[in-house]
């Protein structure tokens, strides 16, 4: 990697000051994507602002939602009693990200801010109708993800926490890429009193997306059979060495079917 | 007198003595070694597959921070340093020989694959070297790359010396007899298969550290090599024209090779050259991306097979036409792998009266292809065992029975095949029977029906393989185009207290030689194995050796050790006879003691050792003092392990995922020295074979870019991809080495891919699927299921 500056502030305010003092600075969360990118010399920021000291790693019960600090590690979410009780599907998702090392370094906020099209967390944010709390505002999930590796976050905006609505039922099932074991198709299904939300990750050319037809079908009948007649379109789906758009479309239906329990 | 407490001899599953350091992270690998004043080398590599180099501007890099030197192909040419050589060539059908283009250490005028080294930057730190390399400006005139090796003949010519991009066009066997058999056959089974291209992926990437001593004008090279003496020979004699005595090559702990560390690569040679040029030790270590791009890949064949049967389903002829991809330059054993190590194996375990094969080796703008675990034999086994299973299905026979009626009968050994090899011994029905029993073959259809109830497709497939290990004898190797000998050496030094230092020409890079070889010595001398130390991997310590590849270490290296120990015993008997005042003929050696037959007069081995080094009472007039013997062992034939593997799979039609649910491996490796280590080799080999059959595929796009250049896209087998293996053995001891041993290192990787693909096809056979290419990824299997369903719907 190119040599760069490293700062570890103690609050979000200090972090913002630090990043403003740099030309092209980068916030460093768990570093699961950023550090390999730096090591391969694919990025050369003027400095790194490590936000792991900013006290952003608490998990709390907010009544109809679970609020998780942005710097909470996947392993902490997976093991959290609160999460396991209120939204076990979210704990299950966190427990299936990467490997043990990744789960003990990678963070919720880092994953969501990066919006990797194969990441697991964005599907939970979208399906659980979450609210992304930043240092300046609260953003609804439906407005947050704007494209592959793109979000509504503005320059120098930090995610501080994410509130996940408690569903009546939810599940996450992924078909991992055989090589990387990122989601080749991951489906998060969440049932609420006012309907079902289905978010698909790993498959969309524009990143994570909600599947309106499956949501409609499952909202009227929360049963895997409700999907039988649906034809999942392969339009807009990723095609690569490992899976064609058609294969991904088939997996979306199958993973959704398996998520309905 | 030393009390003999414990002997962990031949046949004992002793725990590997070398594992303590490896499992605690204390192995000493090349990159762990640092020398005072050391600098780092970084290679600027071509990012285009095929181009003329119009110019290279290194000026800015030369003056970058920390840079000690920047060199290009012209610097290498000015010093007249040669490139890597091809270690084995074959004649072509038209009477010409293999075309051997030069392989310069740094590109001269042209780049031929993505990863080809264009320049080297030597700097104080690796980061400085990398930063400086970014300042080098290379102006390329891009040429059309040749990637599709099957049609490489029509592509842009890559080397002046290689017309039609064909390195060789070789044949073996009787073409007219084979064609006649095919013409007169009751049935001809035809099959085209592709053996997918693999990246070796040793856990430790390649690394080199070279140091030049200006006072005695000598070099020391630490390197990741499977055969340090061959590295020394090639570097000294063919590249630098220096006496071998002026180059010491040390291959310390090496973290896996699988073939990829047999050859001399350009990077280690450049480090040697630069160490003198700069006057400081030069280190280079590949990162994982460089390993993907520049380690020699494996396999990459297409084979057209025709199998002729008579009316009783007995095989009467086999014709195989093969085209293989050898990449941008001819690597050391790239030519022998698809020819001598492939064509000669085509008889398999079967009595086939006529065989003919033609192999074309093609140049492409991809990295070199060379030996990878099994090297030629997996390709031969894959095409043959896929064809056997296809033939059995086509003639409506059980695949086991079809194999059985075509096996070489037990009483036909030694058996002369129609493709040069003579099998010394084997007995094939017992391992077929045992493997079938291990997997409960007779109840398979019940399991298939039960799986069908769960909506799963269950299939079973087998592979009865033969392997030829321990290339030999040297004279035959030479007659077949080999440029090296194929013996192995050992030096056994008995220390004055009776402990032993064994110096072997074999090289261990994961195989467990320190344990296995010590067991042989302990067993033969009747001493505890902790008294035996095995030393390897240093040309200044060990006698000239050929290293480890082709499952040769035990059959060739172990036999050399056994021979040297026999010489020790012979000399010891003479010393014992003197000490015991008896005739040498009356001395028996048993359990570590020299006994005068019929008496209680005896001397322990340690007493003999002491007497040899403190010869106060010693027959000095007839016998030299000391107790140390060398042996060079040139086997009289290959060894021929064989076996049957049976795979059972379940396929989920909704996702196409193939789960390997059961595996039975029954192998005949002759006598086993350490059954636990052998079982580990079998497990590792099958894991690699499952990787090839289901997961791994090195994929270049049409521009010659390697798309699978990281673990994000290149899929290695993981523990959860593998079943629990059932491992069993039969034993027909090798007839021509004292230990009765064969080889076991590659068998798993040879046997498993066809067994697995046969099982996948069997599982999908209710859908009418008759073919499946490797790797059988979930996407490919899903697609086959979709297509079969759409065919059914029409």
């Amino acid at each position: 990697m190119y040599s760069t500056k490293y700062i570890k502030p103690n609050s979000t305010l200090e972090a913002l000051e630090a990043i403003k003092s740099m030309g092209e600075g980068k916030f460093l969360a768990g570093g699961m994507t950023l550090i390999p990118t730096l090591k391969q010399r694919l990025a050369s920021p003027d400095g790194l602002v490590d936000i792991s000291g900013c006290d952003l790693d608490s998990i709390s019960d907010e009544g109809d939602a679970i609020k998780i600090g942005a710097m909470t590690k996947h392993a902490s979410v997976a093991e959290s009693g609160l999460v396991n009780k209120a939204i076990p599907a979210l704990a299950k998702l966190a427990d299936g990200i990467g490997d043990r090392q990744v789960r003990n370094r990678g963070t919720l906020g880092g994953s969501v801010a990066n919006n990797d099209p194969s990441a697991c967390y964005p599907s939970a944010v979208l399906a659980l109708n979450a609210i992304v709390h930043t240092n300046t505002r609260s953003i609804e999930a439906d407005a947050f993800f704007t494209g592959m590796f793109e979000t509504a976050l503005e320059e120098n905006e930090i995610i501080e926490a994410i509130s996940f609505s408690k569903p009546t039922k939810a599940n996450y099932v992924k078909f991992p890429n055989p090589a990387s074991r990122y989601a080749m198709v991951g489906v998060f299904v969440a049932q609420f009193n006012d309907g079902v939300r289905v978010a698909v990750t790993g498959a969309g050319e524009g990143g994570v997306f909600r599947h309106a037809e499956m949501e409609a079908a499952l909202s009227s009948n929360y049963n895997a059979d409700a999907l039988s007649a649906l034809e999942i379109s392969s339009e807009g789906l990723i095609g690569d060495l490992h899976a064609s758009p058609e294969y991904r479309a088939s997996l979306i239906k199958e993973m959704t079917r398996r998520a309905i329990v | 007198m030393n009390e003999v407490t414990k002997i962990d001899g031949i046949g004992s599953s002793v725990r590997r003595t070398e594992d303590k350091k490896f499992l605690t992270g204390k192995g000493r690998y090349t990159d762990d070694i640092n020398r005072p004043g050391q600098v780092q080398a970084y290679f600027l590599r071509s990012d285009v597959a095929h181009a003329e180099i119009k110019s290279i501007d290194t000026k800015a890099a030369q003056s970058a921070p920390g840079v000690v030197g920047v060199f290009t192909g012209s610097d290498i040419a000015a010093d007249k340093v040669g490139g890597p050589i091809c270690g084995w060539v074959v004649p072509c059908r038209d009477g010409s020989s293999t075309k051997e283009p030069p392989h310069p250490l740094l590109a001269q005028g042209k780049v031929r694959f993505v990863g080809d080294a264009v320049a080297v930057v030597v700097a104080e730190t690796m980061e400085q070297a990398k930063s400086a390399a970014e300042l080098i400006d290379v102006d390329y005139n891009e040429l059309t790359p040749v990637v599709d090796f099957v049609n490489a003949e029509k592509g842009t010519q890559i080397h002046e010396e290689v017309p039609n991009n064909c390195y060789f066009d070789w044949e073996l066997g009787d073409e007219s007899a084979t064609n006649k058999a095919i013409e007169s056959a009751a049935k001809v089974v035809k099959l085209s298969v592709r053996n997918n291209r693999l990246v070796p992926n040793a856990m430790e990437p390649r690394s080199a550290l070279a140091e030049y001593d200006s006072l005695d004008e000598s070099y020391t090279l630490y390197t990741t090599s499977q055969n340090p003496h061959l590295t020394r020979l090639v570097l000294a004699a063919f590249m630098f024209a220096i006496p071998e005595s002026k180059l010491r090559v040390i291959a310390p702990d090496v973290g896996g090779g699988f073939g990829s560390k047999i050859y001399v690569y350009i990077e280690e040679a450049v480090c040697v050259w630069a160490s003198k040029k700069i006057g400081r030790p030069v280190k280079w270590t590949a990162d994982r991306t460089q390993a993907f791009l520049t380690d020699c890949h494996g396999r990459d064949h297409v084979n057209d097979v025709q199998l002729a049967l008579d009316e009783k389903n007995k095989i009467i002829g086999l014709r195989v036409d093969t085209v293989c991809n050898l990449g941008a330059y001819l690597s050391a054993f790239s030519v022998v792998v698809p020819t001598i190590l492939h064509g000669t194996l085509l008889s398999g375990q079967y009595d086939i009266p006529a065989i003919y094969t033609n192999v074309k080796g093609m140049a492409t703008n991809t990295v070199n292809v060379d030996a990878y675990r099994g090297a030629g034999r997996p390709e031969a086994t894959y095409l043959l065992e896929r064809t056997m299973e296809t033939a059995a299905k086509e003639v409506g026979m059980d695949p086991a029975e079809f194999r059985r009626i075509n096996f070489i009968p037990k009483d036909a050994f030694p058996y002369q095949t129609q493709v040069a090899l003579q099998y010394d011994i084997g007995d094939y029905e017992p391992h077929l029977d045992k493997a079938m029993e291990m997997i409960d073959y007779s109840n398979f259809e019940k399991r298939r029906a039960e799986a069908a109830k769960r909506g799963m497709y269950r299939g079973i497939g087998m592979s009865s393989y033969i392997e030829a290990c321990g290339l030999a004898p040297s004279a035959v190797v030479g007659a077949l185009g080999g440029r090296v000998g194929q013996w192995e050496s050992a030096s056994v030094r008995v220390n004055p207290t009776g402990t032993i230092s064994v110096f072997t020409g074999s090289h261990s890079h994961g195989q467990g030689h320190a344990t296995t070889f010590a067991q042989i010595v302990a067993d033969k001398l009747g001493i505890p194995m902790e008294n035996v130390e095995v030393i390897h991997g240093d040309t200044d310590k060990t006698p000239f050796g050929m290293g480890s590849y082709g499952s040769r270490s035990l059959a060739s290296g172990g036999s050399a050790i056994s021979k040297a120990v026999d010489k020790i015993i012979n000399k010891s008997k003479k010393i014992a006879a003197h000490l015991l005042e008896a005739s040498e003929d009356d001395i028996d050696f048993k359990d570590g003691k020299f006994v005068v037959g019929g008496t209680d007069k005896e001397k322990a081995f340690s007493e003999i050792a002491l007497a040899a080094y403190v010869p106060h009472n010693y027959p000095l007039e007839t016998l030299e003092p000391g107790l140390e013997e060398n042996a060079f062992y040139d086997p009289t034939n290959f060894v021929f392990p064989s076996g049957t593997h049976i795979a059972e799979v379940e396929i989920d039609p909704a996702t196409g995922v193939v789960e390997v649910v059961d595996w039975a491996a029954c192998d005949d490796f002759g006598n086993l020295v350490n059954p636990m280590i052998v079982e580990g080799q079998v497990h590792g080999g099958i894991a690699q074979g499952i990787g090839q059959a289901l997961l791994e595929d090195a994929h270049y796009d049409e521009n010659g870019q390697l798309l699978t250049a990281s673990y994000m896209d290149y899929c290695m087998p993981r523990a959860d991809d593998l079943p629990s293996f059932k491992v069993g053995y039969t034993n027909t001891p090798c007839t021509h080495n004292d230990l009765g041993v064969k080889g076991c290192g590659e068998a798993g990787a040879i046997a498993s891919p066809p067994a697995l693909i046969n099982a996948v096809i069997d599982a999908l056979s209710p859908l009418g699927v008759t073919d499946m290419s490797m790797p059988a990824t979930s996407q490919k299997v899903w697609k086959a299921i979709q297509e079969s369903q759409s065919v059914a719907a029409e």
Side-chain angles (χ1 to χ4, degrees), chain A residues 206-220:
Chain A
V208 65
F209 64 93
R210 284 174 65 187
H211 203 288
E213 288 165 283
M214 291 201 293
E215 287 187 356
L218 292 170
S219 292
S220 55

mmCIF file with all atom_site columns, all heavy atoms in Angstrom, chain A residues 206-220:
data_model
loop_
_atom_site.group_PDB
_atom_site.id
_atom_site.type_symbol
_atom_site.label_atom_id
_atom_site.label_alt_id
_atom_site.label_comp_id
_atom_site.label_asym_id
_atom_site.label_entity_id
_atom_site.label_seq_id
_atom_site.pdbx_PDB_ins_code
_atom_site.Cartn_x
_atom_site.Cartn_y
_atom_site.Cartn_z
_atom_site.occupancy
_atom_site.B_iso_or_equiv
_atom_site.pdbx_formal_charge
_atom_site.auth_seq_id
_atom_site.auth_comp_id
_atom_site.auth_asym_id
_atom_site.auth_atom_id
_atom_site.pdbx_PDB_model_num
ATOM 1   N N   . GLY A 1 206 ? -27.900 -3.135  -10.056 1.00 0.00 ? 206 GLY A N   1
ATOM 2   C CA  . GLY A 1 206 ? -27.914 -1.876  -9.319  1.00 0.00 ? 206 GLY A CA  1
ATOM 3   C C   . GLY A 1 206 ? -27.750 -2.085  -7.820  1.00 0.00 ? 206 GLY A C   1
ATOM 4   O O   . GLY A 1 206 ? -28.065 -1.204  -7.035  1.00 0.00 ? 206 GLY A O   1
ATOM 5   N N   . GLY A 1 207 ? -27.289 -3.260  -7.425  1.00 0.00 ? 207 GLY A N   1
ATOM 6   C CA  . GLY A 1 207 ? -27.147 -3.543  -6.000  1.00 0.00 ? 207 GLY A CA  1
ATOM 7   C C   . GLY A 1 207 ? -28.429 -4.129  -5.435  1.00 0.00 ? 207 GLY A C   1
ATOM 8   O O   . GLY A 1 207 ? -29.291 -4.624  -6.168  1.00 0.00 ? 207 GLY A O   1
ATOM 9   N N   . VAL A 1 208 ? -28.550 -4.028  -4.117  1.00 0.00 ? 208 VAL A N   1
ATOM 10  C CA  . VAL A 1 208 ? -29.689 -4.637  -3.429  1.00 0.00 ? 208 VAL A CA  1
ATOM 11  C C   . VAL A 1 208 ? -31.004 -4.036  -3.926  1.00 0.00 ? 208 VAL A C   1
ATOM 12  O O   . VAL A 1 208 ? -31.056 -2.853  -4.266  1.00 0.00 ? 208 VAL A O   1
ATOM 13  C CB  . VAL A 1 208 ? -29.522 -4.452  -1.895  1.00 0.00 ? 208 VAL A CB  1
ATOM 14  C CG1 . VAL A 1 208 ? -29.590 -2.978  -1.520  1.00 0.00 ? 208 VAL A CG1 1
ATOM 15  C CG2 . VAL A 1 208 ? -30.516 -5.287  -1.117  1.00 0.00 ? 208 VAL A CG2 1
ATOM 16  N N   . PHE A 1 209 ? -32.053 -4.854  -3.999  1.00 0.00 ? 209 PHE A N   1
ATOM 17  C CA  . PHE A 1 209 ? -33.344 -4.322  -4.461  1.00 0.00 ? 209 PHE A CA  1
ATOM 18  C C   . PHE A 1 209 ? -34.493 -5.093  -3.813  1.00 0.00 ? 209 PHE A C   1
ATOM 19  O O   . PHE A 1 209 ? -34.324 -6.214  -3.347  1.00 0.00 ? 209 PHE A O   1
ATOM 20  C CB  . PHE A 1 209 ? -33.445 -4.403  -5.992  1.00 0.00 ? 209 PHE A CB  1
ATOM 21  C CG  . PHE A 1 209 ? -33.445 -5.806  -6.556  1.00 0.00 ? 209 PHE A CG  1
ATOM 22  C CD1 . PHE A 1 209 ? -34.652 -6.469  -6.805  1.00 0.00 ? 209 PHE A CD1 1
ATOM 23  C CD2 . PHE A 1 209 ? -32.241 -6.465  -6.845  1.00 0.00 ? 209 PHE A CD2 1
ATOM 24  C CE1 . PHE A 1 209 ? -34.651 -7.765  -7.330  1.00 0.00 ? 209 PHE A CE1 1
ATOM 25  C CE2 . PHE A 1 209 ? -32.239 -7.753  -7.369  1.00 0.00 ? 209 PHE A CE2 1
ATOM 26  C CZ  . PHE A 1 209 ? -33.436 -8.413  -7.612  1.00 0.00 ? 209 PHE A CZ  1
ATOM 27  N N   . ARG A 1 210 ? -35.667 -4.431  -3.800  1.00 0.00 ? 210 ARG A N   1
ATOM 28  C CA  . ARG A 1 210 ? -36.875 -5.110  -3.322  1.00 0.00 ? 210 ARG A CA  1
ATOM 29  C C   . ARG A 1 210 ? -37.585 -5.746  -4.498  1.00 0.00 ? 210 ARG A C   1
ATOM 30  O O   . ARG A 1 210 ? -37.542 -5.239  -5.609  1.00 0.00 ? 210 ARG A O   1
ATOM 31  C CB  . ARG A 1 210 ? -37.804 -4.100  -2.643  1.00 0.00 ? 210 ARG A CB  1
ATOM 32  C CG  . ARG A 1 210 ? -37.322 -3.722  -1.253  1.00 0.00 ? 210 ARG A CG  1
ATOM 33  C CD  . ARG A 1 210 ? -38.189 -2.624  -0.672  1.00 0.00 ? 210 ARG A CD  1
ATOM 34  N NE  . ARG A 1 210 ? -39.571 -3.069  -0.456  1.00 0.00 ? 210 ARG A NE  1
ATOM 35  C CZ  . ARG A 1 210 ? -40.544 -2.251  -0.077  1.00 0.00 ? 210 ARG A CZ  1
ATOM 36  N NH1 . ARG A 1 210 ? -40.309 -0.967  0.111   1.00 0.00 ? 210 ARG A NH1 1
ATOM 37  N NH2 . ARG A 1 210 ? -41.766 -2.721  0.109   1.00 0.00 ? 210 ARG A NH2 1
ATOM 38  N N   . HIS A 1 211 ? -38.215 -6.891  -4.227  1.00 0.00 ? 211 HIS A N   1
ATOM 39  C CA  . HIS A 1 211 ? -38.882 -7.600  -5.313  1.00 0.00 ? 211 HIS A CA  1
ATOM 40  C C   . HIS A 1 211 ? -40.395 -7.446  -5.156  1.00 0.00 ? 211 HIS A C   1
ATOM 41  O O   . HIS A 1 211 ? -41.035 -8.148  -4.366  1.00 0.00 ? 211 HIS A O   1
ATOM 42  C CB  . HIS A 1 211 ? -38.464 -9.074  -5.306  1.00 0.00 ? 211 HIS A CB  1
ATOM 43  C CG  . HIS A 1 211 ? -38.637 -9.718  -6.634  1.00 0.00 ? 211 HIS A CG  1
ATOM 44  N ND1 . HIS A 1 211 ? -39.873 -10.024 -7.149  1.00 0.00 ? 211 HIS A ND1 1
ATOM 45  C CD2 . HIS A 1 211 ? -37.727 -10.076 -7.583  1.00 0.00 ? 211 HIS A CD2 1
ATOM 46  C CE1 . HIS A 1 211 ? -39.713 -10.566 -8.343  1.00 0.00 ? 211 HIS A CE1 1
ATOM 47  N NE2 . HIS A 1 211 ? -38.412 -10.600 -8.640  1.00 0.00 ? 211 HIS A NE2 1
ATOM 48  N N   . ALA A 1 212 ? -40.952 -6.528  -5.933  1.00 0.00 ? 212 ALA A N   1
ATOM 49  C CA  . ALA A 1 212 ? -42.361 -6.152  -5.754  1.00 0.00 ? 212 ALA A CA  1
ATOM 50  C C   . ALA A 1 212 ? -43.317 -7.325  -5.963  1.00 0.00 ? 212 ALA A C   1
ATOM 51  O O   . ALA A 1 212 ? -44.263 -7.510  -5.177  1.00 0.00 ? 212 ALA A O   1
ATOM 52  C CB  . ALA A 1 212 ? -42.702 -5.011  -6.717  1.00 0.00 ? 212 ALA A CB  1
ATOM 53  N N   . GLU A 1 213 ? -43.087 -8.135  -7.007  1.00 0.00 ? 213 GLU A N   1
ATOM 54  C CA  . GLU A 1 213 ? -44.031 -9.222  -7.298  1.00 0.00 ? 213 GLU A CA  1
ATOM 55  C C   . GLU A 1 213 ? -44.073 -10.252 -6.172  1.00 0.00 ? 213 GLU A C   1
ATOM 56  O O   . GLU A 1 213 ? -45.136 -10.725 -5.787  1.00 0.00 ? 213 GLU A O   1
ATOM 57  C CB  . GLU A 1 213 ? -43.624 -9.933  -8.590  1.00 0.00 ? 213 GLU A CB  1
ATOM 58  C CG  . GLU A 1 213 ? -43.870 -9.130  -9.845  1.00 0.00 ? 213 GLU A CG  1
ATOM 59  C CD  . GLU A 1 213 ? -43.122 -9.732  -11.014 1.00 0.00 ? 213 GLU A CD  1
ATOM 60  O OE1 . GLU A 1 213 ? -41.888 -9.526  -11.076 1.00 0.00 ? 213 GLU A OE1 1
ATOM 61  O OE2 . GLU A 1 213 ? -43.748 -10.420 -11.828 1.00 0.00 ? 213 GLU A OE2 1
ATOM 62  N N   . MET A 1 214 ? -42.885 -10.579 -5.665  1.00 0.00 ? 214 MET A N   1
ATOM 63  C CA  . MET A 1 214 ? -42.859 -11.565 -4.580  1.00 0.00 ? 214 MET A CA  1
ATOM 64  C C   . MET A 1 214 ? -43.472 -10.965 -3.320  1.00 0.00 ? 214 MET A C   1
ATOM 65  O O   . MET A 1 214 ? -44.146 -11.656 -2.558  1.00 0.00 ? 214 MET A O   1
ATOM 66  C CB  . MET A 1 214 ? -41.431 -12.056 -4.337  1.00 0.00 ? 214 MET A CB  1
ATOM 67  C CG  . MET A 1 214 ? -40.903 -12.908 -5.488  1.00 0.00 ? 214 MET A CG  1
ATOM 68  S SD  . MET A 1 214 ? -39.525 -13.994 -5.022  1.00 0.00 ? 214 MET A SD  1
ATOM 69  C CE  . MET A 1 214 ? -38.268 -12.807 -4.672  1.00 0.00 ? 214 MET A CE  1
ATOM 70  N N   . GLU A 1 215 ? -43.229 -9.686  -3.095  1.00 0.00 ? 215 GLU A N   1
ATOM 71  C CA  . GLU A 1 215 ? -43.833 -9.033  -1.922  1.00 0.00 ? 215 GLU A CA  1
ATOM 72  C C   . GLU A 1 215 ? -45.357 -9.097  -1.999  1.00 0.00 ? 215 GLU A C   1
ATOM 73  O O   . GLU A 1 215 ? -46.025 -9.422  -1.019  1.00 0.00 ? 215 GLU A O   1
ATOM 74  C CB  . GLU A 1 215 ? -43.370 -7.574  -1.836  1.00 0.00 ? 215 GLU A CB  1
ATOM 75  C CG  . GLU A 1 215 ? -41.921 -7.459  -1.386  1.00 0.00 ? 215 GLU A CG  1
ATOM 76  C CD  . GLU A 1 215 ? -41.502 -6.020  -1.146  1.00 0.00 ? 215 GLU A CD  1
ATOM 77  O OE1 . GLU A 1 215 ? -42.304 -5.095  -1.402  1.00 0.00 ? 215 GLU A OE1 1
ATOM 78  O OE2 . GLU A 1 215 ? -40.360 -5.809  -0.678  1.00 0.00 ? 215 GLU A OE2 1
ATOM 79  N N   . ALA A 1 216 ? -45.894 -8.812  -3.200  1.00 0.00 ? 216 ALA A N   1
ATOM 80  C CA  . ALA A 1 216 ? -47.346 -8.831  -3.363  1.00 0.00 ? 216 ALA A CA  1
ATOM 81  C C   . ALA A 1 216 ? -47.891 -10.237 -3.136  1.00 0.00 ? 216 ALA A C   1
ATOM 82  O O   . ALA A 1 216 ? -48.878 -10.424 -2.403  1.00 0.00 ? 216 ALA A O   1
ATOM 83  C CB  . ALA A 1 216 ? -47.710 -8.328  -4.766  1.00 0.00 ? 216 ALA A CB  1
ATOM 84  N N   . ALA A 1 217 ? -47.206 -11.207 -3.744  1.00 0.00 ? 217 ALA A N   1
ATOM 85  C CA  . ALA A 1 217 ? -47.673 -12.587 -3.619  1.00 0.00 ? 217 ALA A CA  1
ATOM 86  C C   . ALA A 1 217 ? -47.646 -13.043 -2.168  1.00 0.00 ? 217 ALA A C   1
ATOM 87  O O   . ALA A 1 217 ? -48.600 -13.661 -1.675  1.00 0.00 ? 217 ALA A O   1
ATOM 88  C CB  . ALA A 1 217 ? -46.823 -13.503 -4.483  1.00 0.00 ? 217 ALA A CB  1
ATOM 89  N N   . LEU A 1 218 ? -46.568 -12.720 -1.470  1.00 0.00 ? 218 LEU A N   1
ATOM 90  C CA  . LEU A 1 218 ? -46.426 -13.189 -0.090  1.00 0.00 ? 218 LEU A CA  1
ATOM 91  C C   . LEU A 1 218 ? -47.279 -12.373 0.878   1.00 0.00 ? 218 LEU A C   1
ATOM 92  O O   . LEU A 1 218 ? -47.679 -12.867 1.930   1.00 0.00 ? 218 LEU A O   1
ATOM 93  C CB  . LEU A 1 218 ? -44.952 -13.156 0.333   1.00 0.00 ? 218 LEU A CB  1
ATOM 94  C CG  . LEU A 1 218 ? -44.063 -14.167 -0.399  1.00 0.00 ? 218 LEU A CG  1
ATOM 95  C CD1 . LEU A 1 218 ? -42.586 -13.898 -0.109  1.00 0.00 ? 218 LEU A CD1 1
ATOM 96  C CD2 . LEU A 1 218 ? -44.430 -15.597 -0.012  1.00 0.00 ? 218 LEU A CD2 1
ATOM 97  N N   . SER A 1 219 ? -47.574 -11.137 0.527   1.00 0.00 ? 219 SER A N   1
ATOM 98  C CA  . SER A 1 219 ? -48.421 -10.317 1.388   1.00 0.00 ? 219 SER A CA  1
ATOM 99  C C   . SER A 1 219 ? -49.833 -10.883 1.438   1.00 0.00 ? 219 SER A C   1
ATOM 100 O O   . SER A 1 219 ? -50.490 -10.850 2.470   1.00 0.00 ? 219 SER A O   1
ATOM 101 C CB  . SER A 1 219 ? -48.457 -8.865  0.898   1.00 0.00 ? 219 SER A CB  1
ATOM 102 O OG  . SER A 1 219 ? -47.185 -8.283  1.082   1.00 0.00 ? 219 SER A OG  1
ATOM 103 N N   . SER A 1 220 ? -50.254 -11.437 0.311   1.00 0.00 ? 220 SER A N   1
ATOM 104 C CA  . SER A 1 220 ? -51.607 -12.002 0.337   1.00 0.00 ? 220 SER A CA  1
ATOM 105 C C   . SER A 1 220 ? -51.598 -13.450 0.829   1.00 0.00 ? 220 SER A C   1
ATOM 106 O O   . SER A 1 220 ? -52.617 -13.942 1.308   1.00 0.00 ? 220 SER A O   1
ATOM 107 C CB  . SER A 1 220 ? -52.248 -11.904 -1.045  1.00 0.00 ? 220 SER A CB  1
ATOM 108 O OG  . SER A 1 220 ? -51.426 -12.512 -2.003  1.00 0.00 ? 220 SER A OG  1
#
